[in-house]
């Protein structure tokens, strides 16, 4: 098995080699050092945004275990990955299963998507004691992947509200959105919640009642609230727009770049900028402005400019 699976050896015997954190901050390869500069710029952007918005971004000073449930831990390679839904998180979870599986998996794409989302398949930081959490936050390389906030939002809407198979979302959120946002809704729409319009979804997100009632679902929650970048210092911020390069850079730092490449496949259904523009055509400028306020920290923190299609008030 050791010989057949290149991971067997690499994964079990990392000790003695440099950790991803050391390789990131003191690269031994020239090819890695150029990329390191780019990631330094991204880190600085997050730090500056947190500082500039310290009132709103540091409301809660102490993180609870519940805040850490999106942080996946890879003990063997000393890495922590904060997953953000709709930012290639299925493929990243698959890769993490290969990295932490001790040779059980070798090809990420052979892992079924639904299996990648079974929580017991990956260990998250909230399962450790306080001292173990602190040790890992200090010594492991922490990374996350981000995406243009409104493109991610449209992607979440399309996936959760326009696909017939997502009945649990229609029941849990769709019915609530229809009840609250649609005048003269039919009994069937109230019962099924499977025909939510994007305008209704936006109205639901900016409704102060929604914010008070329960936290946003993780598929449209802000990255800032899912991964807590003002409290946790991320060493590496990958972007959906440069997914392949950034992902393979992480794998290179982990010392597995020769065996493992990030899975790439062109999805024809992928949400694009043009598509996002179209979805926002029917949103009033008042609602656009209110929605931008909800996601503003994500835009600023990860250096996404205000979309040209927005008509902000």
């Amino acid at each position: 098995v050791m010989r057949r699976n290149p991971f067997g050896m690499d994964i079990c015997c990392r000790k003695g080699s440099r950790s991803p954190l050391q390789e990131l901050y003191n690269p031994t390869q020239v090819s890695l050092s150029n990329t390191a500069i780019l990631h330094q710029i991204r880190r600085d952007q997050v730090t500056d945004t947190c500082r500039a918005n310290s009132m709103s971004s540091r409301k809660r000073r102490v993180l609870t275990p519940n805040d850490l449930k999106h942080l996946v831990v890879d003990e063997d390679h000393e890495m922590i990955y904060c997953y953000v839904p709709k930012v290639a998180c299925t493929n990243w979870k698959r890769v993490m299963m290969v990295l932490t599986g001790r040779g059980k998996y070798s090809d990420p794409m052979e892992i079924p998507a639904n299996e990648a989302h079974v929580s017991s398949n990956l260990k998250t930081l909230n399962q450790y004691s306080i001292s173990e959490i602190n040790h890992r936050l200090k010594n492991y390389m922490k990374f996350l992947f981000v995406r243009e906030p409104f493109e991610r939002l449209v992607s979440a809407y399309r996936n959760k509200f326009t696909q017939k198979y997502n009945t649990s979302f229609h029941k849990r959120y769709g019915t609530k959105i229809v009840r609250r946002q649609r005048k003269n809704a039919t009994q069937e729409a109230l019962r099924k919640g499977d025909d939510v319009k994007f305008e209704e979804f936006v109205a639901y997100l900016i409704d102060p009642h929604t914010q008070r009632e329960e936290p946003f679902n993780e598929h449209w929650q802000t990255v800032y609230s899912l991964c807590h970048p003002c409290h946790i210092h991320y060493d590496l911020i990958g972007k959906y727009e440069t997914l392949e390069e950034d992902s393979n850079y992480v794998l290179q730092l982990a010392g597995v770049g020769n065996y493992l490449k990030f899975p790439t496949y062109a999805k024809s259904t992928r949400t694009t900028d043009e598509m996002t523009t179209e979805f926002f055509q029917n949103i009033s400028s008042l609602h656009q402005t209110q929605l931008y306020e909800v996601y503003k920290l994500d835009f600023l923190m990860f250096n996404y400019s205000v979309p040209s299609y927005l008509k902000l008030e």
Side-chain angles (χ1 to χ4, degrees):
V1 174
M2 280 296 191
R3 273 200 307 279
R4 273 209 316 273
N5 176 6
F7 279 108
M9 198 172 64
D10 184 72
I11 283 191
C12 76
C13 316
R14 217 206 128 74
K15 298 297 163 247
S17 56
R18 286 159 58 84
S19 74
L21 207 54
Q22 291 168 321
E23 200 53 68
L24 173 67
Y25 290 105
N26 299 296
T28 48
Q29 300 171 42
V30 177
S31 62
L32 294 182
S33 60
N34 299 337
T35 316
I37 296 164
L38 165 72
H39 287 280
Q40 178 64 58
I41 293 167
R42 290 182 186 172
R43 281 195 298 276
D44 291 345
Q45 176 77 22
V46 171
T47 307
D48 294 346
T49 307
C50 290
R51 203 172 289 139
N53 297 276
S54 60
M55 286 311 288
S56 52
S57 65
R58 284 188 171 275
K59 264 192 201 116
R60 241 198 3 239
R61 298 216 165 266
V62 183
L63 294 180
T64 64
N66 196 42
D67 293 320
L68 305 175
K69 61 179 189 285
H70 272 249
L71 279 78
V72 175
V73 182
D74 172 2
E75 292 292 353
D76 294 299
H77 302 84
E78 301 188 348
M79 299 197 301
I80 295 174
Y81 159 59
C82 184
Y83 69 89
V84 178
K86 308 313 301 171
V87 192
C89 91
T90 305
N91 277 354
W92 255 112
K93 284 181 175 179
R94 285 169 162 146
V95 168
M96 293 300 275
M97 282 172 73
V98 173
L99 288 172
T100 59
R102 305 273 172 118
K104 193 174 164 189
Y105 312 95
S106 58
D107 178 3
M109 291 317 276
E110 280 177 5
I111 301 170
N114 59 340
E115 204 178 310
H117 296 295
V118 174
S119 56
S120 58
N121 283 333
L122 291 164
K123 193 157 187 194
T124 47
L125 198 58
N126 58 335
Q127 294 168 11
Y128 292 83
S129 71
I130 302 292
S131 63
E132 289 171 333
I133 288 171
N134 289 333
H135 170 78
R136 281 156 185 75
L137 285 175
K138 194 173 155 190
N139 297 293
Y140 287 16
M141 184 178 85
K142 300 165 295 299
F143 68 97
L144 78 163
F145 276 77
V146 299
R147 183 178 186 177
E148 202 279 340
F150 284 169
E151 197 180 286
R152 178 177 162 242
L153 191 66
V154 169
S155 176
Y157 166 77
R158 290 178 65 219
N159 179 247
K160 298 303 170 196
F161 294 106
T162 68
Q163 303 292 338
K164 289 294 171 217
Y165 61 80
N166 265 322
T167 47
S168 62
F169 264 83
H170 304 156
K171 280 266 185 293
R172 177 152 185 215
Y173 296 101
T175 52
K176 192 186 292 183
I177 293 170
V178 168
R179 192 173 64 244
R180 207 182 289 167
Q181 306 300 338
R182 191 179 300 177
K183 290 184 174 71
N184 313 320
T186 64
Q187 282 308 306
E188 190 185 19
L190 288 166
R191 193 179 79 250
K192 284 188 172 170
D194 62 353
D195 64 345
V196 170
K197 297 181 182 68
F198 186 65
E199 299 88 292
E200 294 170 328
F201 178 52
V202 168
Y204 162 78
L205 294 175
I206 58 178
D207 184 346
H209 188 74
T210 305
Q211 305 265 11
R212 282 196 303 270
E213 185 178 61
E214 58 179 348
F216 275 6
N217 176 277
E218 58 175 15
H219 290 84
W220 49 86
Q221 180 59 282
T222 60
V223 177
Y224 150 73
S225 302
L226 286 176
C227 295
H228 314 285
C230 290
H231 298 273
I232 294 171
H233 174 81
Y234 286 92
D235 302 289
L236 201 137
I237 295 149
K239 293 203 161 189
Y240 192 74
E241 296 75 17
T242 48
L243 177 63
E244 214 175 317
E245 304 95 287
D246 292 346
S247 298
N248 288 322
Y249 177 56
V250 173
L251 298 175
Q252 249 181 309
L253 293 170
V256 298
N258 297 341
Y259 317 118
L260 182 56
K261 290 278 175 279
F262 191 77
T264 56
Y265 59 101
K267 264 177 94 174
S268 52
T269 56
R270 194 176 88 72
T271 301
T272 60
D273 186 45
E274 294 73 48
M275 216 179 269
T276 306
T277 306
E278 241 167 84
F279 272 90
F280 271 85
Q281 300 253 285
N282 300 328
I283 307 296
S284 71
S285 57
L286 174 63
H287 280 191
Q288 286 186 8
T289 306
Q290 290 171 314
L291 190 69
Y292 178 76
E293 280 305 313
V294 174
Y295 291 92
K296 186 178 177 176
L297 277 177
D298 279 6
F299 274 101
L300 297 173
M301 208 167 265
F302 307 116
N303 207 18
Y304 288 107
S305 48
V306 177
S308 55
Y309 55 78
L310 282 194
K311 310 178 286 286
L312 299 183
E313 292 203 338

CSV table of all heavy atoms in Angstrom, one decimal, residues 162-201:
chain,number,residue,atom,x,y,z
A,162,THR,N,-33.5,27.4,-6.8
A,162,THR,CA,-34.0,27.1,-8.1
A,162,THR,C,-33.8,25.7,-8.5
A,162,THR,O,-34.3,25.2,-9.5
A,162,THR,CB,-33.3,28.0,-9.2
A,162,THR,OG1,-31.9,27.6,-9.3
A,162,THR,CG2,-33.3,29.5,-8.8
A,163,GLN,N,-33.2,24.9,-7.6
A,163,GLN,CA,-33.1,23.4,-7.9
A,163,GLN,C,-34.2,22.7,-7.2
A,163,GLN,O,-34.4,22.8,-6.0
A,163,GLN,CB,-31.7,22.9,-7.4
A,163,GLN,CG,-30.5,23.6,-8.0
A,163,GLN,CD,-30.3,23.3,-9.4
A,163,GLN,OE1,-30.8,22.3,-10.0
A,163,GLN,NE2,-29.6,24.2,-10.1
A,164,LYS,N,-34.9,21.9,-8.0
A,164,LYS,CA,-36.1,21.2,-7.4
A,164,LYS,C,-35.8,20.2,-6.3
A,164,LYS,O,-36.5,20.0,-5.4
A,164,LYS,CB,-36.8,20.4,-8.5
A,164,LYS,CG,-37.6,21.3,-9.5
A,164,LYS,CD,-38.7,22.0,-8.8
A,164,LYS,CE,-39.3,23.1,-9.7
A,164,LYS,NZ,-39.8,24.3,-9.0
A,165,TYR,N,-34.5,19.7,-6.3
A,165,TYR,CA,-34.2,18.7,-5.3
A,165,TYR,C,-33.9,19.2,-3.9
A,165,TYR,O,-33.8,18.5,-2.9
A,165,TYR,CB,-33.0,17.8,-5.8
A,165,TYR,CG,-31.7,18.6,-6.0
A,165,TYR,CD1,-30.9,19.0,-4.9
A,165,TYR,CD2,-31.3,19.0,-7.3
A,165,TYR,CE1,-29.7,19.7,-5.1
A,165,TYR,CE2,-30.1,19.7,-7.5
A,165,TYR,CZ,-29.4,20.0,-6.4
A,165,TYR,OH,-28.2,20.7,-6.6
A,166,ASN,N,-33.7,20.6,-3.8
A,166,ASN,CA,-33.4,21.1,-2.5
A,166,ASN,C,-34.6,21.4,-1.7
A,166,ASN,O,-34.8,22.5,-1.1
A,166,ASN,CB,-32.6,22.4,-2.7
A,166,ASN,CG,-31.1,22.2,-2.7
A,166,ASN,OD1,-30.6,21.3,-1.9
A,166,ASN,ND2,-30.3,22.8,-3.5
A,167,THR,N,-35.4,20.4,-1.5
A,167,THR,CA,-36.7,20.6,-0.8
A,167,THR,C,-36.5,21.0,0.7
A,167,THR,O,-37.3,21.7,1.2
A,167,THR,CB,-37.6,19.3,-0.8
A,167,THR,OG1,-36.7,18.2,-0.5
A,167,THR,CG2,-38.1,19.1,-2.2
A,168,SER,N,-35.4,20.6,1.3
A,168,SER,CA,-35.3,20.9,2.7
A,168,SER,C,-35.0,22.4,2.8
A,168,SER,O,-35.5,23.1,3.8
A,168,SER,CB,-34.1,20.2,3.3
A,168,SER,OG,-32.9,20.5,2.7
A,169,PHE,N,-34.4,23.0,1.9
A,169,PHE,CA,-34.2,24.5,1.9
A,169,PHE,C,-35.5,25.2,1.6
A,169,PHE,O,-35.8,26.2,2.2
A,169,PHE,CB,-33.1,24.9,0.9
A,169,PHE,CG,-31.7,25.1,1.5
A,169,PHE,CD1,-30.9,24.0,1.7
A,169,PHE,CD2,-31.3,26.3,1.9
A,169,PHE,CE1,-29.7,24.1,2.3
A,169,PHE,CE2,-30.0,26.4,2.5
A,169,PHE,CZ,-29.3,25.3,2.7
A,170,HIS,N,-36.2,24.7,0.6
A,170,HIS,CA,-37.5,25.3,0.3
A,170,HIS,C,-38.4,25.3,1.5
A,170,HIS,O,-39.1,26.3,1.8
A,170,HIS,CB,-38.2,24.5,-0.9
A,170,HIS,CG,-37.3,24.4,-2.1
A,170,HIS,ND1,-37.4,23.4,-3.0
A,170,HIS,CD2,-36.3,25.2,-2.5
A,170,HIS,CE1,-36.5,23.6,-4.0
A,170,HIS,NE2,-35.8,24.6,-3.7
A,171,LYS,N,-38.5,24.2,2.2
A,171,LYS,CA,-39.3,24.0,3.4
A,171,LYS,C,-38.8,25.0,4.5
A,171,LYS,O,-39.6,25.7,5.1
A,171,LYS,CB,-39.3,22.6,3.9
A,171,LYS,CG,-40.2,21.7,3.2
A,171,LYS,CD,-41.6,21.6,3.9
A,171,LYS,CE,-42.5,20.5,3.2
A,171,LYS,NZ,-42.9,20.9,1.8
A,172,ARG,N,-37.5,25.0,4.8
A,172,ARG,CA,-37.0,25.7,5.9
A,172,ARG,C,-37.0,27.2,5.7
A,172,ARG,O,-37.3,28.0,6.5
A,172,ARG,CB,-35.6,25.2,6.3
A,172,ARG,CG,-35.1,26.0,7.4
A,172,ARG,CD,-34.1,25.3,8.3
A,172,ARG,NE,-33.8,26.3,9.4
A,172,ARG,CZ,-32.6,26.4,10.0
A,172,ARG,NH1,-31.6,25.6,9.7
A,172,ARG,NH2,-32.4,27.2,11.0
A,173,TYR,N,-36.5,27.6,4.5
A,173,TYR,CA,-36.3,29.0,4.2
A,173,TYR,C,-37.3,29.6,3.2
A,173,TYR,O,-37.8,30.7,3.4
A,173,TYR,CB,-34.9,29.3,3.7
A,173,TYR,CG,-33.8,29.0,4.8
A,173,TYR,CD1,-33.1,27.8,4.7
A,173,TYR,CD2,-33.6,29.9,5.8
A,173,TYR,CE1,-32.1,27.5,5.7
A,173,TYR,CE2,-32.6,29.6,6.8
A,173,TYR,CZ,-31.9,28.4,6.7
A,173,TYR,OH,-31.0,28.1,7.7
A,174,GLY,N,-37.6,28.8,2.2
A,174,GLY,CA,-38.5,29.2,1.1
A,174,GLY,C,-39.8,29.6,1.6
A,174,GLY,O,-40.3,30.7,1.3
A,175,THR,N,-40.4,28.8,2.5
A,175,THR,CA,-41.8,29.0,3.0
A,175,THR,C,-41.8,30.3,3.8
A,175,THR,O,-42.7,31.1,3.7
A,175,THR,CB,-42.3,27.9,3.8
A,175,THR,OG1,-41.3,27.5,4.8
A,175,THR,CG2,-42.5,26.6,3.0
A,176,LYS,N,-40.7,30.5,4.6
A,176,LYS,CA,-40.6,31.7,5.5
A,176,LYS,C,-40.5,32.9,4.6
A,176,LYS,O,-41.1,34.0,4.9
A,176,LYS,CB,-39.3,31.5,6.3
A,176,LYS,CG,-39.2,32.5,7.5
A,176,LYS,CD,-37.9,32.3,8.2
A,176,LYS,CE,-37.8,31.0,8.9
A,176,LYS,NZ,-36.5,30.9,9.7
A,177,ILE,N,-39.6,32.9,3.6
A,177,ILE,CA,-39.4,34.0,2.7
A,177,ILE,C,-40.7,34.4,2.0
A,177,ILE,O,-41.1,35.6,1.9
A,177,ILE,CB,-38.3,33.7,1.7
A,177,ILE,CG1,-37.0,33.6,2.4
A,177,ILE,CG2,-38.2,34.8,0.6
A,177,ILE,CD1,-35.8,33.1,1.6
A,178,VAL,N,-41.4,33.4,1.4
A,178,VAL,CA,-42.7,33.6,0.7
A,178,VAL,C,-43.7,34.3,1.7
A,178,VAL,O,-44.4,35.3,1.4
A,178,VAL,CB,-43.3,32.3,0.1
A,178,VAL,CG1,-44.7,32.5,-0.4
A,178,VAL,CG2,-42.4,31.8,-1.0
A,179,ARG,N,-43.8,33.7,2.9
A,179,ARG,CA,-44.8,34.2,3.9
A,179,ARG,C,-44.5,35.6,4.2
A,179,ARG,O,-45.4,36.5,4.3
A,179,ARG,CB,-44.7,33.3,5.2
A,179,ARG,CG,-45.8,33.6,6.1
A,179,ARG,CD,-45.8,32.6,7.3
A,179,ARG,NE,-44.7,32.7,8.1
A,179,ARG,CZ,-43.7,31.7,8.3
A,179,ARG,NH1,-43.9,30.6,7.6
A,179,ARG,NH2,-42.7,31.9,9.1
A,180,ARG,N,-43.2,36.0,4.3
A,180,ARG,CA,-42.9,37.3,4.8
A,180,ARG,C,-42.8,38.4,3.7
A,180,ARG,O,-43.1,39.5,3.9
A,180,ARG,CB,-41.5,37.2,5.5
A,180,ARG,CG,-41.4,38.3,6.5
A,180,ARG,CD,-40.0,38.3,7.2
A,180,ARG,NE,-39.9,37.2,8.1
A,180,ARG,CZ,-38.7,36.8,8.6
A,180,ARG,NH1,-37.6,37.5,8.3
A,180,ARG,NH2,-38.7,35.8,9.4
A,181,GLN,N,-42.4,37.9,2.5
A,181,GLN,CA,-42.1,38.9,1.4
A,181,GLN,C,-43.2,39.0,0.3
A,181,GLN,O,-43.1,39.9,-0.5
A,181,GLN,CB,-40.8,38.6,0.8
A,181,GLN,CG,-39.6,38.5,1.8
A,181,GLN,CD,-39.4,39.8,2.6
A,181,GLN,OE1,-39.8,40.9,2.2
A,181,GLN,NE2,-38.8,39.7,3.7
A,182,ARG,N,-44.1,38.0,0.2
A,182,ARG,CA,-45.0,37.9,-0.9
A,182,ARG,C,-46.4,38.3,-0.5
A,182,ARG,O,-47.0,37.5,0.3
A,182,ARG,CB,-44.9,36.6,-1.6
A,182,ARG,CG,-45.6,36.5,-2.9
A,182,ARG,CD,-45.5,35.1,-3.6
A,182,ARG,NE,-44.1,34.7,-3.8
A,182,ARG,CZ,-43.8,33.6,-4.3
A,182,ARG,NH1,-44.7,32.7,-4.6
A,182,ARG,NH2,-42.5,33.3,-4.5
A,183,LYS,N,-46.9,39.3,-1.1
A,183,LYS,CA,-48.3,39.6,-0.8
A,183,LYS,C,-49.2,38.7,-1.7
A,183,LYS,O,-48.9,38.3,-2.8
A,183,LYS,CB,-48.6,41.1,-1.3
A,183,LYS,CG,-48.0,42.1,-0.4
A,183,LYS,CD,-48.4,43.5,-0.9
A,183,LYS,CE,-47.9,44.6,0.0
A,183,LYS,NZ,-46.4,44.8,-0.1
A,184,ASN,N,-50.3,38.3,-1.1
A,184,ASN,CA,-51.3,37.4,-1.8
A,184,ASN,C,-50.6,36.1,-2.3
A,184,ASN,O,-50.8,35.6,-3.4
A,184,ASN,CB,-51.9,38.0,-3.0
A,184,ASN,CG,-52.4,39.4,-2.6
A,184,ASN,OD1,-53.0,39.6,-1.5
A,184,ASN,ND2,-52.3,40.4,-3.5
A,185,ALA,N,-49.7,35.5,-1.5
A,185,ALA,CA,-49.1,34.2,-1.8
A,185,ALA,C,-50.1,33.1,-1.9
A,185,ALA,O,-51.1,33.1,-1.1
A,185,ALA,CB,-48.0,33.8,-0.8
A,186,THR,N,-50.0,32.2,-2.8
A,186,THR,CA,-50.9,31.1,-2.9
A,186,THR,C,-50.7,30.1,-1.8
A,186,THR,O,-49.6,30.0,-1.3
A,186,THR,CB,-50.8,30.3,-4.3
A,186,THR,OG1,-49.5,29.7,-4.3
A,186,THR,CG2,-50.9,31.2,-5.5
A,187,GLN,N,-51.7,29.3,-1.5
A,187,GLN,CA,-51.5,28.2,-0.4
A,187,GLN,C,-50.3,27.3,-0.8
A,187,GLN,O,-49.6,26.9,0.1
A,187,GLN,CB,-52.8,27.4,-0.3
A,187,GLN,CG,-53.9,28.2,0.5
A,187,GLN,CD,-53.3,28.7,1.9
A,187,GLN,OE1,-52.8,28.0,2.7
A,187,GLN,NE2,-53.5,30.0,2.1
A,188,GLU,N,-50.2,27.0,-2.1
A,188,GLU,CA,-49.2,26.0,-2.5
A,188,GLU,C,-47.8,26.6,-2.3
A,188,GLU,O,-46.9,26.0,-1.8
A,188,GLU,CB,-49.4,25.7,-4.0
A,188,GLU,CG,-48.5,24.5,-4.4
A,188,GLU,CD,-48.5,24.2,-5.9
A,188,GLU,OE1,-49.0,25.0,-6.7
A,188,GLU,OE2,-48.1,23.1,-6.2
A,189,ALA,N,-47.6,27.9,-2.7
A,189,ALA,CA,-46.3,28.6,-2.5
A,189,ALA,C,-46.0,28.6,-1.0
A,189,ALA,O,-44.8,28.4,-0.6
A,189,ALA,CB,-46.4,30.0,-3.1
A,190,LEU,N,-47.0,28.9,-0.2
A,190,LEU,CA,-46.7,28.9,1.3
A,190,LEU,C,-46.3,27.6,1.8
A,190,LEU,O,-45.6,27.5,2.8
A,190,LEU,CB,-48.0,29.5,2.0
A,190,LEU,CG,-48.3,31.0,1.8
A,190,LEU,CD1,-49.7,31.3,2.3
A,190,LEU,CD2,-47.3,31.8,2.6
A,191,ARG,N,-46.9,26.5,1.2
A,191,ARG,CA,-46.6,25.2,1.7
A,191,ARG,C,-45.3,24.7,1.2
A,191,ARG,O,-44.5,24.1,1.9
A,191,ARG,CB,-47.8,24.2,1.3
A,191,ARG,CG,-47.7,22.9,2.0
A,191,ARG,CD,-48.9,22.0,1.6
A,191,ARG,NE,-48.6,21.3,0.3
A,191,ARG,CZ,-49.2,21.6,-0.9
A,191,ARG,NH1,-50.2,22.6,-0.9
A,191,ARG,NH2,-49.0,21.0,-2.0
A,192,LYS,N,-45.0,24.9,-0.1
A,192,LYS,CA,-43.8,24.4,-0.7
A,192,LYS,C,-42.5,25.3,-0.6
A,192,LYS,O,-41.4,24.8,-0.5
A,192,LYS,CB,-44.1,24.1,-2.2
A,192,LYS,CG,-44.9,22.8,-2.4
A,192,LYS,CD,-44.9,22.5,-3.9
A,192,LYS,CE,-45.6,21.1,-4.1
A,192,LYS,NZ,-45.8,20.9,-5.6
A,193,GLY,N,-42.7,26.6,-0.8
A,193,GLY,CA,-41.6,27.5,-0.8
A,193,GLY,C,-40.6,27.2,-1.8
A,193,GLY,O,-39.4,27.5,-1.6
A,194,ASP,N,-41.0,26.7,-3.0
A,194,ASP,CA,-40.0,26.3,-4.0
A,194,ASP,C,-39.9,27.2,-5.2
A,194,ASP,O,-39.3,26.9,-6.2
A,194,ASP,CB,-40.3,24.8,-4.5
A,194,ASP,CG,-41.7,24.7,-5.2
A,194,ASP,OD1,-42.4,25.7,-5.1
A,194,ASP,OD2,-42.0,23.7,-5.7
A,195,ASP,N,-40.5,28.4,-5.1
A,195,ASP,CA,-40.5,29.3,-6.2
A,195,ASP,C,-40.0,30.8,-5.8
A,195,ASP,O,-40.6,31.8,-6.3
A,195,ASP,CB,-41.8,29.4,-6.9
A,195,ASP,CG,-42.9,29.9,-6.1
A,195,ASP,OD1,-42.7,30.0,-4.8
A,195,ASP,OD2,-44.0,30.3,-6.6
A,196,VAL,N,-39.1,30.8,-4.8
A,196,VAL,CA,-38.7,32.1,-4.3
A,196,VAL,C,-38.0,32.9,-5.3
A,196,VAL,O,-37.1,32.4,-6.0
A,196,VAL,CB,-37.7,31.9,-3.1
A,196,VAL,CG1,-37.0,33.2,-2.6
A,196,VAL,CG2,-38.5,31.3,-1.9
A,197,LYS,N,-38.4,34.1,-5.5
A,197,LYS,CA,-37.7,35.0,-6.5
A,197,LYS,C,-36.5,35.6,-5.8
A,197,LYS,O,-36.4,35.8,-4.6
A,197,LYS,CB,-38.6,36.1,-7.0
A,197,LYS,CG,-39.9,35.6,-7.7
A,197,LYS,CD,-40.7,36.8,-8.1
A,197,LYS,CE,-42.0,36.4,-8.8
A,197,LYS,NZ,-43.0,35.7,-7.9
A,198,PHE,N,-35.5,36.0,-6.7
A,198,PHE,CA,-34.2,36.6,-6.1
A,198,PHE,C,-34.6,37.9,-5.4
A,198,PHE,O,-34.0,38.1,-4.3
A,198,PHE,CB,-33.2,36.8,-7.3
A,198,PHE,CG,-31.9,37.3,-6.8
A,198,PHE,CD1,-31.1,36.5,-6.0
A,198,PHE,CD2,-31.4,38.6,-7.1
A,198,PHE,CE1,-29.9,36.9,-5.5
A,198,PHE,CE2,-30.2,39.0,-6.6
A,198,PHE,CZ,-29.4,38.2,-5.8
A,199,GLU,N,-35.5,38.7,-5.9
A,199,GLU,CA,-35.9,39.9,-5.2
A,199,GLU,C,-36.4,39.6,-3.8
A,199,GLU,O,-36.1,40.4,-2.9
A,199,GLU,CB,-37.0,40.7,-6.0
A,199,GLU,CG,-36.6,41.1,-7.4
A,199,GLU,CD,-36.9,40.0,-8.5
A,199,GLU,OE1,-36.2,39.0,-8.4
A,199,GLU,OE2,-37.8,40.2,-9.3
A,200,GLU,N,-37.2,38.5,-3.7
A,200,GLU,CA,-37.7,38.2,-2.3
A,200,GLU,C,-36.6,37.7,-1.4
A,200,GLU,O,-36.6,38.0,-0.2
A,200,GLU,CB,-38.8,37.1,-2.5
A,200,GLU,CG,-40.0,37.5,-3.3
A,200,GLU,CD,-40.9,36.4,-3.6
A,200,GLU,OE1,-40.4,35.2,-3.9
A,200,GLU,OE2,-42.1,36.6,-3.7
A,201,PHE,N,-35.7,37.0,-2.0
A,201,PHE,CA,-34.5,36.5,-1.2
A,201,PHE,C,-33.7,37.7,-0.7
A,201,PHE,O,-33.4,37.7,0.5
A,201,PHE,CB,-33.6,35.6,-2.1
A,201,PHE,CG,-32.4,35.1,-1.5
A,201,PHE,CD1,-32.4,34.4,-0.2
A,201,PHE,CD2,-31.2,35.2,-2.1
A,201,PHE,CE1,-31.2,33.9,0.3
A,201,PHE,CE2,-30.0,34.7,-1.5
A,201,PHE,CZ,-30.0,34.1,-0.3
